Amino acid sequence: MESAKYVSQKISRTRWRPVSYSSLQQPDIFATGSWDNENNKVSVWSIGNPGGSGLEDGFEGEPQLICEYKHDGDVLDLQFLDQERIVTVSSTGAVTIFRHHQNSQTISVSQQWARAHWYSCDNAPSTGVACNSPEIVSVGEDGRIIVFRADQEGVVRVIENADSSTLNAVTYLRTTEVLTVNSIGQLKLWDLRQQSNTPSQILLLSGDRVPLYCVDRHPNQQHIVATGGQDGMLCVWDVRQGNMPFSLMEAHSAEMWEVHFHPTNPDHLFTCSEDGSLLHWETSSPSEMPSFLQGKYDLWLIYMELGIILRFSFYMVEI
């Protein structure tokens, strides 16, 4: 099933509210953040009333706006911390926790670290965030990695000069380990238990300094990560084995902005790009290895346009 909702804002990020996968519940609430608008917003949407109770049934109607709240600066990344709280990072350098009050269907600011990322003379955009409740990790153009706790006002830790180039994205590998990608094509693994300001491992595609813009961890195999960047290549890495990706595919003809494993069916992978395409990668048959690990793939291509929220199958692809 497919549906599209035309909105009056440029949408930079879309994220599903987490659900209990053990109950086979389908996600029905998602949040969006906007950019390059006169007034940017964080918005919460519903995909409407279920058209049936089974997983094979779709939903009726287009996404409906539930509530929204003004956001200072562009939303450069957005993640759910839990069922009620949403974390954003901003072009102003701020890291903000918003609370969605489900009884009143309103949004309020729960906590904010203004100018978390900064230069000596100006704000530095905060470019990426990862959540492992109650911990939050942000990265930015200033090359800093900052650790917060949602239940504390102060900053827990700052890794100064973590990178000499822009850090574009971050993801948790394990409770105490995060992985960052930067503008010179490096993946860096950080053990937050160590007080050292140096990474425990650095991975790089040999000979290339192509900026990496996105990263996601396999939900069941924590040592497997996927990345994408300026050249549109999809790379899959095993951080246990060597410093090179074990799979490379020419996925897009322009910058890849997002890559995501499906949280409960990780043999499905999604990428989206500046070239206007959304790619769905999956195995050809249940008995085969995931196609992005195997190097053979089937593609479902859906073209996206600015300001469109699109849903297909049982889930929205986060873009």
Side-chain angles (χ1 to χ4, degrees), residues 234 249-252 269 271 277-284 291 296-302:
L234 172 61
M249 286 156 280
E250 294 183 4
H252 296 277
L269 182 72
T271 61
S277 65
L278 168 69
L279 301 186
H280 173 186
W281 309 70
E282 70 172 346
T283 57
S284 297
S291 53
K296 297 170 64 178
Y297 50 88
D298 296 327
L299 302 181
W300 281 259
L301 182 59
I302 302 174

Side-chain angles (χ1 to χ4, degrees), residues 26-64:
Q26 295 185 80
D28 58 355
I29 301 292
F30 63 94
T32 62
S34 68
W35 70 286
D36 196 30
N37 299 290
E38 184 175 348
N39 294 303
N40 289 304
K41 298 175 182 178
V42 172
S43 305
V44 177
W45 305 75
S46 170
I47 56 175
N49 296 320
S53 58
L55 286 177
E56 297 301 321
D57 295 311
F59 287 83
E60 295 178 347
E62 63 181 19
Q64 300 295 320

Side-chain angles (χ1 to χ4, degrees), residues 122-144:
D122 200 0
N123 296 338
S126 181
T127 52
V129 65
C131 299
N132 185 24
S133 185
E135 287 197 344
I136 300 165
V137 175
S138 71
V139 296
E141 282 190 9
D142 57 357
R144 290 182 177 90

Side-chain angles (χ1 to χ4, degrees), residues 87-252:
V87 183
T88 68
V89 294
S90 172
S91 57
T92 67
V95 177
T96 307
I97 302 177
F98 294 88
R99 184 178 293 276
H100 174 212
H101 305 275
Q102 298 181 40
N103 290 336
S104 60
Q105 294 300 353
T106 58
I107 303 176
S108 64
V109 173
S110 174
Q111 192 163 348
Q112 184 178 71
W113 295 271
R115 207 168 180 258
H117 292 269
W118 53 276
Y119 299 119
S120 58
C121 59
D122 200 0
N123 296 338
S126 181
T127 52
V129 65
C131 299
N132 185 24
S133 185
E135 287 197 344
I136 300 165
V137 175
S138 71
V139 296
E141 282 190 9
D142 57 357
R144 290 182 177 90
I145 300 173
I146 307 180
V147 182
F148 311 89
R149 284 183 64 94
D151 52 5
Q152 295 182 17
E153 290 187 5
V155 171
V156 174
R157 182 182 178 187
V158 179
I159 302 180
E160 297 279 358
N161 303 314
D163 214 298
S164 59
S165 65
T166 296
L167 291 168
N168 289 318
V170 59
T171 187
Y172 272 93
L173 289 189
R174 299 171 183 84
T175 305
T176 58
E177 291 181 326
V178 296
L179 188 76
T180 60
V181 295
N182 67 16
S183 289
I184 56 173
Q186 294 176 323
L187 293 79
K188 294 185 178 182
L189 180 63
W190 303 84
D191 188 339
L192 300 179
R193 295 168 297 184
Q194 305 298 322
Q195 293 305 307
S196 170
N197 284 0
T198 57
S200 57
Q201 189 177 355
I202 300 177
L203 297 85
L204 174 69
L205 187 57
S206 180
D208 288 352
R209 296 284 176 174
V210 176
L212 294 174
Y213 295 142
C214 53
V215 61
D216 196 31
R217 185 204 74 188
H218 191 287
N220 300 332
Q221 301 179 58
Q222 296 174 328
H223 54 281
I224 301 295
V225 296
T227 63
Q230 188 180 65
D231 58 0
M233 295 286 291
L234 172 61
C235 299
V236 184
W237 311 69
D238 185 337
V239 298
R240 305 171 306 175
Q241 301 177 359
N243 298 321
M244 292 281 292
F246 65 81
S247 180
L248 292 88
M249 286 156 280
E250 294 183 4
H252 296 277

